[in-house]
Amino acid sequence: MSAVSSESKVSMKALIKGLAMLGVMALSVYLIRYAGLADALDTHWMDEHVRSRGLAGVLTYVGLAAFFSAVGFPRQIICFMGGYAYGFALGTLLGTIGTGLGCAGAFIYSRLVGRSFIKRKFGSRIQKVDDFLSRSPFNMALTIRFFPLGSNVITNVLAGVTSIPAMPFILGSTVGYLPQNMVFALFGSGVEVSSTLRMVVAVVLFAISSYLGFRIYRKYRNQAGAVVE
């Protein structure tokens, strides 16, 4: 087989994967904007389709949480709605399961389908992410998630094209999501309960988690390129 032919096949494969990735993104936008999924994070929709539906409602919420977080919707709002629907403890748990699944979905999709497309788009940033995460994927993912700034979905897709193993990154991310998920689930659980104390506690927890994240981040910042959630 000639070098030209082999190169053409590689290019075609990369093109197909890139188009597939764009297709999934386009479908996600369609579902959110035109098929009514955007209403899934409205309290009235949650009342009708989640809170009153028992196990089916739980599965609906977790599935939507996974989908929305995978395509880049702020997980803070997702967990806020979890707290609204199920209260602080269960809302935190379900929101964390959902956002963990969303992280896994974006990571695996990037690794299996979008590798060539993402490498062309983000270039040198990928090596910085690889250098940062490869030191200890679980601990580094935990560090990134504690820090309250940046793009969750970009971190997931960039990590997907690195050399790190999937499981430590996904588990570290899921555990790292927990502090902020707790904060926003606590906020959400207070929607129908007028409790100033509840809101104050949520603000304090958010400030503490942000401070801890910043301290941990600073510890590792000089060891690799800056990567935030």
Side-chain angles (χ1 to χ4, degrees), residues 12 66 130 171 176:
M12 182 60 68
D130 201 336
L171 290 177

Side-chain angles (χ1 to χ4, degrees), residues 1-12:
M1 181 181 296
S2 68
V4 174
S5 177
S6 178
E7 194 173 302
S8 297
K9 285 191 174 183
V10 171
S11 299
M12 182 60 68

